[in-house]
Amino acid sequence: MIIIDEELCKGCHLCLFMCYQNVYAISPETNKKGIQLPYVNFGERCTNCGVCEVVCPDQAITVNVNKNWWVGKKDNTFNPKFSKGRK
C-alpha cells in the first residue's frame, strides 16, 4: 500500500519519473493548492522497493514498511542485517 500525503506533496512528480514499475500517474484534477498530484494508478505493479519514498523531497510518500526487506519482520524495527543485503 502506498500513501501520498496531499498536504505535503508539492507536485514535483519525482515519484512518477523514478518508479521503474510505472505505478504512478498524474491526476487530471488540481488540489486546493492548484497542484496536479500523483496518484497510484497501478498499485498491483508495486514491488515495495521504496524508491519513491526515498526520492520524495517532501517525505509525502509512505510505502507499506511491513513488506520492505530493510525492516525486521517480527516487530517492524530496523533490520540489523540491512547493510549485508537481503535476508
Side-chain angles (χ1 to χ4, degrees):
M1 176 178 14
I2 300 169
I3 300 167
I4 301 173
D5 187 332
E6 294 183 12
E7 295 297 318
L8 294 176
C9 181
K10 67 180 175 197
C12 70
H13 302 132
L14 281 174
C15 54
L16 181 98
F17 300 121
M18 294 300 293
C19 181
Y20 67 93
Q21 293 291 345
N22 296 317
V23 170
Y24 296 95
I26 300 173
S27 175
E29 300 175 11
T30 59
N31 67 1
K32 62 184 177 183
K33 297 177 187 176
I35 298 169
Q36 288 180 289
L37 296 174
Y39 69 95
V40 178
N41 193 31
F42 298 105
E44 68 278 0
R45 293 181 184 174
C46 182
T47 61
N48 294 304
C49 69
V51 170
C52 58
E53 186 174 9
V54 172
V55 302
C56 180
D58 301 309
Q59 299 176 341
I61 299 176
T62 304
V63 178
N64 187 359
V65 295
N66 295 330
K67 294 183 180 180
N68 287 333
W69 61 272
W70 60 84
V71 176
K73 299 302 178 200
K74 294 180 182 174
D75 57 0
N76 290 335
T77 58
F78 181 72
N79 181 355
K81 297 179 183 176
F82 171 74
S83 62
K84 297 177 183 167
R86 294 179 184 254
K87 287 196 217 178

